[in-house]
Structure formats: structure tokens, C-alpha cells
Amino acid sequence: MPVDARVEVDTHCPYCALQCGMVVRDERAEATVAPREFPTSRGGLCQKGWTAASLLRAPDRLTTPLLRESRDAPLRPVGWAEALDYVALRLHELRDRLGPDAVGVFGGGGLTNEKAYLLGKFARVALGTSKIDYNGRFCMSSAAAAGIKAFGVDRGLPFPASDLADADAILLVGANVAETMPPFMRHIRPAADRGGLIVVDPRRTATAETAAVHLQPAPGTDLALALGMLHAAVADGLLDHQYIAERTTGFDEVWRIAAAWWPERVERITGVPAADQRAAVALLAKARNAYVLTARGTEQHATGVATVSAWINLCLALGLCGRPGSGFGCLTGQGNGQGGREHGQKADQLPGYRKIDDPAARAHVAGVWGVSADELPGPGPSAYELLDSLGTTDGPKALLVFGSNIVVSAPRAGHIAERLESLELLVTSDFVLSETAAVADVVLPVTQWAEEDGTMTNLEGRILLRGKAVTPPIGVRTDLDVLHGLATRLGQPAYRFPTDAETVFDELGRASAGGPADYSGISYDRLRDGEALHWPVPAADHPGTPRLFLDGFAHPGGLARFQAVDHTGPAEPTDTEFPLHATTGRVLQHYQSGAQTRRVPALMEASPEAFVEVHPDTARRFGVHDGQWAAVESRRGAVQARVRCVTTIRPDTVFLPFHFPGAQRANLLTNPALDPTSRMPEFKVCAVRLGAA
Ligand code: SF4
């Protein structure tokens, strides 16, 4: 093949928030990917990234809209005009009959910034509904709320990931990056090599294997552990008193609580030896540069905000936040987990990370949208509350789903599947027939990843251009086209819902201007030129803000705020009926609900089915053995999974990956108890029992 016929595009991986740099080559019909140098991945890709081109060849790729007129009828192929006309007609009818809140919208943390932005605008302007939220609520919301409380603004990593290489100590809480984002290990390996990596995880994961100190608390007790470590810091004279006095408020209230959590008491609750608690704090406090990083393991709890706040409290007490070479951050999970929570698909937000109940924010965004602020609905219910209300007297009777596979990924998934069945209309926009699309009334086939233009915001708040690299299959449209087609059929002027991603991005920039996540100085041209732009970027000549908080925190007065939080434990403790903790997570080969990675042959070959990790002593106790299929049951449902006996897990805990569908769905078990602030469900701990399948 002549070299000049080959097309190469520098882009980023379709999966997680590390957004590793890759080159997509479109050679005849055969696209391939290869890694390229980029600061977050440093030339690396994991197995998911290496095999990402398979997604572009998925044999069950949807290329025509599908529609069924009744729940019992099969989905049948239809043209785009028929599908969009049908959806618009049904939405019109519902809105006339029951009002705008009869229609709900559910977005995703993998959508590009442009899609997330236009989806929020579509819900508020074209539908007039308050009922919009997204699956990032299940991912980042506790860390986001805790960050805002402490620092006044939330950006996953308020520093470039590459800064971590100079750390002498890193405390990694509830993150198994060696499996979930392997190239990230390149950033923390130097600290590990210096003997400074501390990992908090109830499993001895591949990440924990590299740590100098592995703290293995019982699921749901991280908050107690953080309090114990703060107590140890005080008792062992490790506080940074000058920093606390000059840069923070509220330490005394925090200490009043932590004083009662001496490490030996914490050991009785968490199982973490007091000596290890003290050793971990000493490593952090005595390091020249140190970081505390949290992820879903510690965040996805009904006390998620308080738990993350407790880790931030420890970080502040040691004087680490907002100074060069040290800090606190959370590791965003989904590909656009950061940008997806900034531009208006969240129930309580408008673009630019503005609050929807802030009159000034409403006026600004309404002005950009060319509507009256009075027309914009107020805040709606959070993701689980929205899904739980579907089809009920006061809940939406129709749901539009973009970029999410709720049937597999929602907590208490069996119940949510029933709620979806009770709808009058379920519409999904997807590139394959995911488990959620399979139960929809209308399925709209859309472009994916390398087939379209768009921007993503990675885990360090850097905006990235993911340019179109390959030609999409005939018959599919972009999500922006879908929103345009529906909005115009609902009576909106065509110009208000552009289909060109760059045009949407420019509008997003104007809508975000002056907000915490200000993108107004970013353009596609600057991104094409390779500029490293971390928000806020408030002007076209602004260089971006790779490091936040060096001159002060975002609260008025510039001080960080300690949060007085106390340990309460899991929402569902174990008992004689359900005597084990279950926790869930990801494996190397799969991503989220598996709708993408389960379509990649190499990944399915390596990881084809659900499993349950069980300690050998626990397996004996419950009469199951390695390799057999077991039933794991909670009060909400039962899961089939193959037993893996491992000594790396606590005997009181079992672990299940959440990527598999049907009877292997880990989320059939999970507890939808919600955090009072973030409305995060308690994905990471529930009470279960174990038996032969
Ligand atoms: S899945 Fe994440 S870690 Fe793996 S290649 Fe993609 S962006 Fe990188």
C-alpha cells in the first residue's frame, strides 16, 4: 500500500480518564492503534488500549435505527426520519399530557464535552425537564463534593500527573491502578521504589504488591482509618502547625472528633494494625514531597463525602495541599469523568461547573442559549433517585439514555431493570445493542470514539482533542446529530443545536466563561497546536492552570476548610443471615459495564466471565471450592460467579468485578443507600452470603 494513502491521527484511548495518547491508522478498512508519547501515559497503553481498534470492527455494530411499537414486539430496522419522528411525537404527547418532567434524560461520563454540554441544553431547553442526571453520579460525585467543601472547587488532580514522579511518599486509597490504568504506575513507581507507596485496599491487589505499606481495612471502615491516622499524626507530633494556622480553618472541630479515634481503637474496627497506621502517617509526614490520592474504593459509599473529607483532613493536617510537589487528588475513572461533570448533564448544574440554582449562573447561561432564565428548570433528582422513580406516579414516563448501560451498571440493577420496563418510552443512543439498548423501544445507532470529533477532559483537568480518525459505517449519525434532529422536531430553531463539534465547543466556552471550569480561552486551534491546557483558561492568551491552589484555595479568603466528620460504618452491616462483605471493582481487561470491552475478542478470551474472589478459609466455611460456580446473594438479588480462592483478600470479604451481564451482574447485589450530599450509592460494600450455584 502506498505510504501516502495511509491516514494517521494522533488521538486518545476510548476508555478511562488517563486518556493515554495513541495513533489511529486507517489503512484501507483496517484501523490499527499504536501508543504515542503523551504526559499521562508516557508512551504506554494497557491491553484495553492496544486492542481498541477492535471496537471499530465490532461485528454487531448497529447501522440502522431500531424501533418497536409495543413492548412485546421485536425491534425492527427503520429509517432515521421514522425513528426521530416517532420519538419526537411520543415526547410531544407525553409533555402535553403530563408536563415536561414526564421525560427524563440519562447521560454518561464517557460522552465528549460537546455531547455532555448539548445534552444538558437539550434537556433544559428543548424538553424543559429538570430530570437529567448521568452515570458520573455513580463514579465521581463524592470526591467532587468533598473537594468543593474543602478547597472551593473540584478538579480531580489539581496538578499534572507527571508531578507525582518526584514524590517520596504517596498514599493511594481505594485504587488499583496496576489493573485499572496500568500506565499510571509509571507516575507512582518512583515513590514505590523509594519505599514510599502506601496502599489502602481490602484486597492485596497488584498495586498493593508494590507498596511499602499495605493497609487492609474491612470494607466501609476507611473513614475510621483516616481518623486513626490523623490521631496518630497529632500524637506523634507530625502536624504542620504553621500551615494549619496560615492556610486552613476548622482544625479544632476535626480534632475534637479524631481525639476519640486512637489507632488501637481504629485497629479493632478496621483490622489495620495500629503500628501500620503510625508507620503510614510517618512516611507521609516525613517525606519531602507527598500526595494523597483517592478513588472509587473509598468514595463509593453512603458516607463517601465524609470519607473523602477525612482523607483531605489528613492531607491538610500534614500541610500537603496547595504547595508545589505535594497535594491531594482523586483519580477520575471514566474517560470524560472530569469534563462530563462540568458542563451541565448533572442534575444540579449548568455549564462551567455552575450551580443551576444560582441566579447569576442561570442568567449567564440563558443569555448564551438565547432563552429566558425563567424558562430553565431547577435542580432535578440524582441518578439513582431518577432511575428509581421511572414509571411511578410522579416519575418520568420516558427516558432518553446517552452513553450509559444502566441495566448492568446501576446499583440494585434488578430493580432498575424493572423500572425501565415500566416506562412508556425508552430511547437509547448507542453504537451496539447494549443490555439497555436491547430493552429499549427505540435504538439510535451512533458514531463512536475515533469516528467523530470531540474533546475530553482528562483526570488532571487537561482538555484534549479526540479527532476523527476513521470514516464511520454508513447509516450511523453522531449524538450531536441526534440531539439536533430531536430538538428541531420539538420546535427548537436549528441554529440552537449545532451538529459540528467545534461549533458546539465554542459555544460551550462562552457558556462556561466566568465559571469555576472556565473553558472560554480554549479553541480547537489551540488544541490542534498541542497546547497543554488545564482549566481554568479564561482568555485566548491564557496559558491554562496546570496547578491549582498554589496561591490560595478557591473559597473566599483563600483558606482550605477542614470538615468535621465521624465514622458510622457501612449502611448494611453483616449479620448472621448475610455474614460477608461484598465489594466490587474492575479487572485489567474490562471497562465499566463491559458494553465495549466484551466485544473485543482478545479481552474476552483473557477475562470471559464473572468471578468471585474468596479467601480459602471462607470457601471452606461456606462449602465452595476454587473453580466452581457459586451463588452470591444479598437482600436485593443473587449473582452467579466462578469461585477464585485467593489469600490476598480478607476472610470477611468477597470481591466481584462489575463488567458482566445477566445473572453475572455484580450490581444485582449492590446497595442503593445514598450519600446525603453527593447522592452516591454504596457500591463498594454490602452484606452477602455465599453458596453453591
Ligand atoms: S484504558 Fe485507560 S490506561 Fe488503558 S490505554 Fe486506555 S486510557 Fe490508557
Side-chain angles (χ1 to χ4, degrees):
M1 178 180 194
V3 171
D4 62 359
R6 189 172 67 188
V7 178
E8 281 193 3
V9 175
D10 284 357
T11 185
H12 298 270
C13 175
Y15 300 116
C16 85
L18 200 57
Q19 286 294 289
C20 296
M22 60 168 55
V23 178
V24 174
R25 298 192 179 96
D26 190 8
E27 295 170 289
R28 296 193 176 145
E30 194 70 3
T32 59
V33 304
R36 69 181 170 90
E37 200 50 45
F38 190 71
T40 57
S41 48
R42 294 174 53 188
L45 290 177
C46 75
Q47 193 182 2
K48 296 184 288 291
W50 272 108
T51 56
S54 293
L55 290 174
L56 302 166
R57 304 188 285 271
D60 59 344
R61 181 67 188 272
L62 297 174
T63 55
T64 182
L66 303 172
L67 186 153
R68 69 175 122 229
E69 280 90 358
S70 74
R71 272 294 147 101
D72 302 332
L75 285 165
R76 63 177 175 86
V78 295
W80 272 99
E82 182 180 347
L84 293 175
D85 286 349
Y86 178 84
V87 173
L89 189 71
R90 298 288 308 274
L91 295 179
H92 255 309
E93 184 273 321
L94 269 170
R95 203 168 51 174
D96 290 350
R97 179 158 52 96
L98 298 167
D101 275 350
V103 180
V105 177
F106 202 87
L111 298 177
T112 62
N113 289 319
E114 292 80 357
K115 294 179 188 183
Y117 167 79
L118 209 65
L119 189 62
K121 180 180 177 182
F122 173 79
R124 274 65 178 247
V125 175
L127 296 174
T129 182
S130 68
K131 310 243 170 156
I132 174 171
D133 211 42
Y134 80 125
N135 65 19
R137 177 78 64 178
F138 299 156
C139 186
M140 300 305 308
S141 58
S142 287
I148 290 169
K149 280 175 181 255
F151 307 127
V153 74
D154 151 53
R155 199 181 85 189
L157 296 183
F159 45 79
S162 53
D163 284 5
L164 294 166
D166 291 328
D168 296 316
I170 297 174
L171 171 63
L172 197 57
V173 194
N176 180 15
V177 289
E179 286 205 67
T180 57
M181 46 174 70
F184 191 79
M185 288 298 287
R186 296 169 190 214
H187 301 296
I188 63 173
R189 181 77 64 183
D193 290 345
R194 293 177 194 125
L197 181 62
I198 307 150
V199 170
V200 177
D201 199 309
R203 303 161 64 216
R204 188 163 183 84
T205 60
T207 313
E209 287 288 348
T210 68
V213 181
H214 175 207
L215 309 179
Q216 203 165 358
T221 65
D222 285 15
L223 207 165
L225 179 61
L227 288 165
M229 290 172 67
L230 179 59
H231 187 107
V234 175
D236 296 345
L238 299 173
L239 293 192
D240 187 333
H241 292 284
Q242 186 177 355
Y243 175 95
I244 292 171
E246 292 177 356
R247 299 203 58 184
T248 73
T249 62
F251 177 74
D252 291 346
E253 291 75 24
V254 167
W255 174 238
R256 260 194 284 281
I257 296 169
W261 289 99
W262 54 96
E264 286 74 13
R265 181 185 175 204
V266 168
E267 177 177 340
R268 289 195 291 277
I269 288 171
T270 62
V272 176
D276 289 355
Q277 297 174 46
R278 293 193 175 94
V281 173
L283 264 181
L284 275 181
K286 292 176 181 168
R288 187 177 39 92
N289 294 317
Y291 292 87
V292 175
L293 305 175
T294 66
R296 305 305 83 68
T298 204
E299 297 164 10
Q300 288 178 318
H301 293 273
T303 56
V305 177
T307 303
V308 178
S309 295
W311 294 117
I312 295 175
N313 287 344
L314 177 66
C315 208
L316 290 170
L318 299 177
L320 302 180
C321 305
R323 71 177 176 83
S326 293
F328 172 86
C330 98
L331 298 174
T332 310
Q334 294 196 74
N336 200 27
Q338 184 68 50
R341 68 184 190 259
E342 296 166 357
H343 296 298
Q345 61 174 331
K346 204 172 170 192
D348 53 355
Q349 276 183 3
L350 289 172
Y353 225 143
R354 290 181 156 94
K355 298 293 286 181
I356 200 167
D357 54 4
D358 171 4
R362 293 171 67 85
H364 172 81
V365 174
V368 174
W369 288 351
V371 299
S372 160
D374 296 336
E375 294 172 42
L376 299 180
S382 72
Y384 182 77
E385 292 161 297
L386 171 63
L387 298 176
D388 186 38
S389 71
L390 295 175
T392 61
T393 308
D394 299 326
K397 307 295 184 291
L399 186 72
L400 312 183
V401 181
F402 290 78
S404 192
N405 189 12
I406 302 163
V407 168
V408 178
S409 62
R412 197 185 170 197
H415 169 70
I416 295 305
E418 288 171 11
R419 296 265 47 90
L420 292 174
E421 280 172 21
S422 74
L423 287 168
E424 294 183 27
L425 178 68
L426 175 62
V427 181
T428 67
S429 179
D430 214 325
F431 78 101
V432 289
L433 200 67
S434 70
E435 287 71 22
T436 307
V439 297
D441 302 291
V442 182
V443 183
L444 302 171
V446 289
T447 48
Q448 57 164 325
W449 168 54
E451 298 166 352
E452 58 187 11
D453 290 324
T455 60
M456 308 286 278
T457 304
N458 75 357
L459 77 175
E460 50 185 10
R462 176 174 170 173
I463 292 81
L464 312 170
L465 188 59
R466 260 193 355 196
K468 181 175 172 178
V470 301
T471 306
I474 293 169
V476 305
R477 295 188 180 180
T478 68
D479 283 311
L480 300 181
D481 281 323
V482 169
L483 293 172
H484 175 92
L486 289 176
T488 50
R489 284 169 172 81
L490 292 167
Q492 290 293 311
Y495 67 82
R496 195 172 276 164
F497 287 88
T499 57
D500 170 59
E502 187 169 355
T503 306
V504 175
F505 186 82
D506 289 344
E507 183 185 308
L508 177 165
R510 292 195 298 281
S512 74
D518 189 334
Y519 284 37
S520 60
I522 307 173
S523 65
Y524 269 37
D525 281 342
R526 292 186 74 180
L527 297 174
R528 284 187 194 107
D529 288 345
E531 283 195 70
L533 296 171
H534 302 73
W535 66 255
V537 190
D541 59 356
H542 189 284
T545 316
R547 293 171 189 83
L548 295 172
F549 312 139
L550 295 185
D551 300 326
F553 297 98
H555 286 304
L559 301 182
R561 297 176 183 171
F562 279 97
Q563 301 296 313
V565 292
D566 206 348
H567 171 71
T568 53
E572 185 180 57
T574 55
D575 54 24
T576 51
E577 202 181 350
F578 296 96
L580 294 167
H581 299 296
T583 191
T584 65
R586 286 165 53 189
V587 299
L588 172 65
Q589 288 83 13
H590 289 293
Y591 177 70
Q592 305 302 74
S593 77
Q596 292 158 290
T597 49
R598 283 188 278 109
R599 288 177 163 80
V600 176
L603 300 179
M604 278 305 278
E605 198 177 316
S607 180
E609 63 194 15
F611 61 87
V612 54
E613 273 189 3
V614 185
H615 193 280
D617 294 346
T618 312
R620 269 192 296 278
R621 186 175 148 210
F622 287 88
V624 297
H625 57 82
D626 190 61
Q628 90 171 85
W629 282 91
V632 186
E633 281 181 79
S634 78
R635 289 185 174 81
R636 291 156 294 280
V639 171
Q640 308 281 307
R642 195 180 290 282
V643 174
R644 267 189 203 175
C645 284
V646 294
T647 55
T648 48
I649 194 163
R650 292 173 56 103
D652 60 1
T653 303
V654 298
F655 167 85
L656 300 102
F658 52 62
H659 313 291
F660 298 94
Q664 299 181 27
R665 263 178 298 171
N667 279 314
L668 292 170
L669 306 174
T670 46
N671 185 358
L674 300 179
D675 183 282
T677 303
S678 66
R679 318 307 284 167
M680 165 72 82
E682 183 135 293
F683 282 105
K684 281 294 186 276
V685 57
C686 67
V688 298
R689 61 186 171 215
L690 182 65

